[in-house]
Amino acid sequence: MNRTRQTQLTAVIHGTTNPAAAQAAKTAGMAEADAHTGAGWAADCDNAIATMARRGLPFQAADLIEQGLVDEPDHPAQWGPRFGAAARAGTIRHHGYAPSKRATVHKSICKTWIGAEAAAGEVAA
């Protein structure tokens, strides 16, 4: 019985999702956003992420602003490349998902991050 009243497909519909194309589009979009990010804001954001990572608590981009560590970027897409760079550098790791604290996005889902050292402590505990 379908209690959700949603259409349930039992067959896989080939061609509806292309993970490689999605990843390529994400990579291109983040590269474009990063290319249009001022060096000063990028450095301030990187420092803010490092500060939050040292605190050892889960956080999202809105927390950096709320704590007065960095200002809003020129475009919201500029956050992603900075968090991605910090993750690749081993400063932070993905912690989970939570409603965004930003009023402008109406609590849409948002990644939360945690300092990599704090995350290692969670695993060891």
Side-chain angles (χ1 to χ4, degrees):
M1 180 176 186
N2 183 351
R3 296 174 199 240
T4 63
R5 297 181 191 231
Q6 295 176 346
T7 301
Q8 302 294 313
L9 301 175
T10 57
V12 174
I13 309 300
H14 296 285
T16 58
T17 304
N18 183 333
Q23 184 61 44
K26 175 184 172 185
T27 300
M30 289 181 72
E32 182 177 351
D34 201 31
H36 290 93
T37 300
W41 184 86
D44 290 347
C45 186
D46 293 348
N47 290 333
I49 291 170
T51 296
M52 292 298 285
R54 285 190 298 274
R55 293 180 182 175
L57 300 171
F59 65 96
Q60 56 182 257
D63 294 317
L64 279 66
I65 296 168
E66 181 182 291
Q67 296 290 314
L69 300 173
V70 70
D71 293 327
E72 289 277 355
D74 291 335
H75 191 280
Q78 294 171 330
W79 288 112
R82 303 315 328 139
F83 278 91
R88 285 188 301 279
T91 304
I92 58 173
R93 79 166 182 96
H94 179 241
H95 184 262
Y97 295 93
S100 176
K101 297 175 183 178
R102 295 171 53 95
T104 57
V105 295
H106 309 288
K107 296 188 179 188
S108 63
I109 199 71
C110 180
K111 275 188 176 182
T112 58
W113 302 89
I114 192 164
E117 289 183 15
E122 288 177 355
V123 173

